[in-house]
Amino acid sequence: MSDTPLGRFCWNELMTPDPGAARGFYSSITGWDTSLWDGGENPYEMWMNGEIPVGGLMDLPAPDVPPCWLTYLSTPDLDATMEKVRANGGTVMNELAVPQVGRFAVIADPQGGVISILEPEGDTPGHDGPPGLGEFSWRELPTTDANAAWAFYAEVFGWEDAGRMDMGEMGHYQVFGRGGLPLGGIFNGPADMPAVGWLLYVRVPDVHQAVDRITELGGKLLNGPMEVPGNDYIAQCMDPQGIAFAVHHTPEEGG
């Protein structure tokens, strides 16, 4: 039996119209380097946090694919997970196998949020402990029906209810986790949001310094910096290619 966990965030892929520009931008913000993996038919560029790969960088794979960060969840059985996706109102958009890597599928939840699932051929990327500097530390899903979206992910991936926060007229912020560790939140987005989609947070030494650097390099500040529960600070931003992402620091880091 596979020891691959179900529902672990295990990979994060930036699909962008300008990989060269994105490489310089994100490396300056996060301290990442890049490395080429040439085990497949085509070389694949990976984001490296020190010696650890945390994601990938690639050109847009097709004209109809919007620029985005695509996050991956692990599964020990891709076929069974795709069956559960469909049974719970989601859609399997495509499926692919990569030698030496594994099988994966891109799916959409019933509200249109896109995410990928991976059945790895070897060890499962990522880990289940608290995120370190340069790692993805939080994930948010602003959506059109937070209760329905939460029910989908809890049923398909076994995520745990890690509490709810009252957001007033916007409803509740549903925190989810695995193994007792909070991983992210699902909430009703504003009526004018352009699309349902996951927002990924990267842990940095200091959010305020990161925001300064982001704007210097042609990115935009969308929201923040702001303090959130736990005395952490976050800022939601957009890179120069128009892709949303966020940065986060904890109290032991920036002030």
Side-chain angles (χ1 to χ4, degrees):
M1 180 180 293
S2 171
D3 59 359
T4 296
L6 175 65
R8 173 196 287 177
F9 286 98
C10 63
W11 198 249
N12 308 277
E13 197 166 63
L14 179 65
M15 295 187 289
T16 173
D18 193 339
R23 185 187 307 113
F25 175 82
Y26 284 98
S27 295
S28 181
I29 303 305
T30 65
W32 294 337
D33 200 352
T34 60
S35 177
L36 282 180
W37 179 78
D38 57 3
E41 293 182 3
N42 299 304
Y44 181 76
E45 191 166 4
M46 299 185 299
W47 295 114
M48 302 296 295
N49 185 41
E51 299 297 317
I52 306 299
V54 294
L57 168 64
M58 62 185 294
D59 205 344
L60 297 176
D64 60 342
V65 175
C68 67
W69 275 101
L70 177 66
T71 193
Y72 284 66
L73 295 169
S74 63
T75 175
D77 187 333
L78 186 71
D79 293 319
T81 301
M82 289 192 296
E83 184 177 335
K84 290 195 76 171
V85 166
R86 295 185 180 103
N88 286 275
T91 304
V92 176
M93 302 171 68
N94 64 35
E95 182 185 348
L96 186 66
V98 178
Q100 303 180 50
V101 176
R103 298 173 58 217
F104 68 89
V106 179
I107 67 165
D109 65 37
Q111 288 70 48
V114 175
I115 204 164
S116 195
I117 49 179
L118 169 68
E119 180 185 339
E121 192 170 301
D123 293 338
T124 306
H127 62 83
D128 292 321
L133 280 172
E135 295 183 338
F136 290 85
S137 56
W138 197 253
R139 294 92 178 163
E140 278 182 343
L141 179 64
T143 184
T144 56
D145 189 335
N147 289 334
W150 162 238
F152 171 84
Y153 287 99
E155 178 63 27
V156 175
F157 297 105
W159 288 347
E160 304 161 356
D161 182 345
R164 304 181 92 193
M165 294 183 288
D166 189 352
M167 298 175 65
E169 293 182 359
M170 294 181 66
H172 289 87
Y173 186 95
Q174 175 67 57
V175 181
F176 62 85
R178 293 182 64 253
L181 180 69
L183 297 175
I186 299 173
F187 62 100
N188 288 324
D192 61 350
M193 66 179 177
V196 174
W198 285 90
L199 179 67
L200 309 186
Y201 287 68
V202 181
R203 188 174 158 197
V204 296
D206 187 280
V207 160
H208 300 87
Q209 292 179 8
V211 166
D212 288 344
R213 190 67 176 141
I214 287 165
T215 55
E216 286 172 7
L217 294 173
K220 294 180 180 179
L221 176 64
L222 301 178
N223 197 15
M226 72 183 82
E227 188 174 4
V228 294
N231 302 120
D232 293 14
Y233 273 83
I234 63 169
Q236 297 159 351
C237 307
M238 183 177 290
D239 72 20
Q241 284 72 52
I243 301 170
F245 71 105
V247 288
H248 160 224
H249 81 229
T250 59
E252 64 267 24
E253 295 152 2

